[in-house]
Amino acid sequence: MSIYLDNAATTRVCPEAAEAAMEAMTLSYANPNSPHAMGRAAKALMERGRERVAKALGCDKGELYFTSCGTEGDNWALRRGAEYNARHGRHILSSEAEHPAVIRTLDELEKRQGFTVTRLKPAPDGSVTPDAVLDALREDTCLVSLMTVNNETGAVTDIAAIVREVKARNPHTLIHTDAVQAFLKVPLNARSLGADLITLSGHKIHAPKGVGALYVRRGLNLPPLLTGGGQEEGKRSGTQAVELIAAFGAAAEAGARSFREDAARMAALREHAVERLTAEVPGLLTIGGGAPQILSISLPGWRSEVLMNYLESKGISVAKSSACKKGGRSQVLTALKLPAPVIDGAIRVSLSRETTAAEIDAFCDALAEARRTIRGSVR
Ligand code: PLP
C-alpha cells in the first residue's frame, strides 16, 4: 500500500499532461524557433500550452513567459523587478514566511545591491494582512513580494486587497506574488488579483517538474533574467521545453475544468481529517489553514521525523514541513513564533484531487496509532 500525502512538494503527472508531453517528444520534437514546417508544428503545440495556462490564470497569452521552475520565476521577478523599479526607491517589502526562492533572493538583493528589505511578521496562521503591509509601505518601496498560499501552513493572503491598497497609495510600487501553491487550488485570476508579477510552477498542478511560468502584466517592460538567443519575445532566452510546456498546458486545462469540485472535495477531506485527529489524537494541534490542499499539524512532544518514520512504515508519505529545506527548523513555523516542541512535532499533509477518503482515513488511523504506540516526551 502506498499513500502519497505530499502533494505540496510535487504531484503525480496527470494522463493529459503525460500524453501531451509524449506527443511533443515523439512527433512535434523540432525546435519551436525553427522556421521550417516541423518547427512551426512544435511552436503551435507550445503556443497551445501557453493559451491553456493563460486561460487557467485569466490573462492574455502574451503576458505569460515560460521558465524552468517556480524558483526561476521568483528570481526573475524579484531581481529584475527591483532593479527596473529602483528609480522609485530601493525599499522592498516582503514577509518572514516566504519560500526560500524569495527569502534567499531578497537576502542577496540586500547584501549585494544595496536594497533595504522589510520582512513582515506573519499573522498566527502564516498569512500577511493588508494593514501590516500598509503600515510598512514607504514612499520609496519599489517592490512588494508576498506569496498567495503559504506552502507550509496553507494560509491564504488576500493579495487582491493588498494590491488595491498599495496601488492606491503608491501606484509606482510593483507587486509580485508567488502563487505556486495557489494556482488551481484557490480562486486565482490575474485580472481580479491585479498583481504585476505572478509566479507559477508546473509540477504542483500535475505537470512534470522543470517547467514554470511568470505572468508579467501587459505594459510592464520587465528586463530578462536569462539573456541569449532571444526566445520568449526576448524575455527569457533558452530553447523552450516544448514537451514540458505542452504538458503544463494540458495539466492546467484539466485542472481548471474540475477546479471547483476538486477544491471542495479536498477541503471536505481536510476538514474530515481535522475532526478525526482532534477527537482521536490527544494533544494534536492544527497550524494555519485556509487552502484546501494543505493541512499542517503538530504533536508536541513527538518528533516529526519519528512520526514520519512510523507513517512510512505504513506506506504513508507526508512531509516534515517544506520539501525545499534540508534539516534545521522550519523558518515559516519559527516566524509564527510557535514554541519549539510544536515546531519539532510538525508534519505537513498535502492533498491533491486524486486523494481519496480511504487514504485520509488510513492516515488518521496511523497517526492515532503512532500516538498510542510511540513513546513521546509527553504521556
Ligand atoms: N514557491 C513556493 C511557494 C513553493 O512551494 C515552491 C516549491 O515548493 C517553489 C516556489 C519553488 O518551485 P519549483 O520547485 O518549481 O522551483
Side-chain angles (χ1 to χ4, degrees):
M1 183 182 68
S2 175
I3 297 179
Y4 184 73
L5 294 174
D6 195 15
N7 290 282
T10 199
T11 52
R12 188 162 80 121
V13 172
C14 64
E16 293 89 340
E19 223 171 87
M22 185 64 121
E23 181 191 345
M25 287 188 290
T26 57
L27 298 173
S28 302
Y29 53 82
N31 188 316
N33 305 293
S34 297
H36 48 62
M38 282 185 66
R40 293 198 305 274
K43 182 164 187 193
L45 207 59
M46 178 172 85
E47 292 310 320
R48 191 144 63 100
R50 197 186 313 273
E51 271 161 29
R52 287 169 154 179
V53 178
K55 188 162 178 227
L57 184 64
C59 68
D60 291 343
K61 72 197 261 311
E63 295 174 302
L64 212 55
Y65 300 96
F66 288 110
T67 61
S68 63
C69 58
T71 300
E72 183 189 329
D74 283 345
N75 268 264
W76 181 12
L78 298 177
R79 288 177 196 277
R80 294 299 178 254
E83 283 167 9
Y84 171 84
N85 222 20
R87 63 205 146 106
H88 293 295
R90 300 182 80 81
H91 176 243
I92 301 173
L93 203 47
S94 186
S95 91
E96 288 180 358
E98 300 302 306
H99 187 273
V102 167
I103 291 183
R104 300 280 101 81
T105 306
L106 293 181
D107 288 350
E108 276 205 26
L109 284 170
E110 194 169 42
K111 276 194 205 112
R112 302 207 184 153
Q113 285 181 256
F115 287 91
T116 305
V117 181
T118 300
R119 297 168 183 84
L120 297 172
K121 300 226 173 296
D125 66 351
S127 67
V128 176
T129 63
D131 282 351
V133 177
L134 278 190
D135 284 349
L137 189 69
R138 301 182 350 193
E139 173 77 35
D140 65 341
T141 305
C142 60
L143 179 67
V144 172
S145 178
L146 295 166
M147 73 205 323
T148 311
V149 168
N150 188 279
N151 54 310
E152 295 199 27
T153 68
V156 184
T157 287
D158 190 349
I159 299 294
I162 289 171
V163 171
R164 272 195 307 277
E165 306 212 12
V166 168
K167 294 280 184 184
R169 195 191 296 172
N170 270 5
H172 59 263
T173 300
L174 286 182
I175 303 182
H176 164 249
T177 187
D178 174 334
V180 165
Q181 297 288 352
F183 186 42
L184 297 175
K185 304 296 190 313
V186 298
L188 186 83
N189 178 285
R191 288 279 165 275
S192 42
L193 204 63
D196 299 291
L197 299 158
I198 305 173
T199 303
L200 305 180
S201 174
H203 72 106
K204 312 289 185 180
I205 65 146
H206 303 278
K209 297 156 197 66
V211 65
L214 183 67
Y215 159 88
V216 181
R217 181 201 22 94
R218 186 171 300 290
L220 170 59
N221 192 15
L222 187 75
L225 181 68
L226 297 187
T227 47
Q231 291 90 344
E232 298 288 282
E233 308 293 325
K235 292 288 187 190
R236 199 278 186 185
S237 288
T239 304
Q240 295 96 331
V242 180
E243 47 276 70
L244 301 179
I245 291 169
F248 192 9
E253 188 178 83
R257 207 183 302 130
S258 57
F259 164 71
R260 274 177 207 288
E261 306 92 86
D262 295 340
R265 230 176 46 78
M266 289 191 290
L269 286 178
R270 186 188 177 286
E271 194 49 42
H272 172 67
V274 170
E275 275 168 23
R276 271 203 63 189
L277 295 171
T278 313
E280 297 172 34
V281 185
L284 184 120
L285 302 173
T286 57
I287 303 165
Q293 83 278 22
I294 297 178
L295 170 59
S296 178
I297 53 179
S298 174
L299 197 48
W302 279 258
R303 292 195 70 84
S304 320
E305 295 82 356
V306 176
L307 296 171
M308 282 176 62
N309 286 344
Y310 190 89
L311 293 168
E312 194 171 307
S313 75
K314 308 278 172 195
I316 301 171
S317 303
V318 297
K320 188 173 159 193
S321 51
S322 149
C324 307
K325 181 182 52 62
K326 291 205 181 68
R329 270 208 183 123
S330 152
Q331 191 157 344
V332 174
L333 301 186
T334 304
L336 300 188
K337 295 213 169 56
L338 294 169
V342 176
I343 300 176
D344 294 342
I347 55 178
R348 180 187 69 184
V349 181
S350 49
L351 291 68
S352 82
R353 62 173 183 260
E354 298 178 341
T355 306
T356 65
E359 289 176 324
I360 291 295
D361 277 327
F363 162 72
C364 293
D365 291 343
L367 194 66
E369 198 177 284
R371 168 70 174 75
R372 286 193 301 271
T373 324
I374 308 168
R375 180 174 282 276
S377 60
V378 183
R379 275 268 113 184

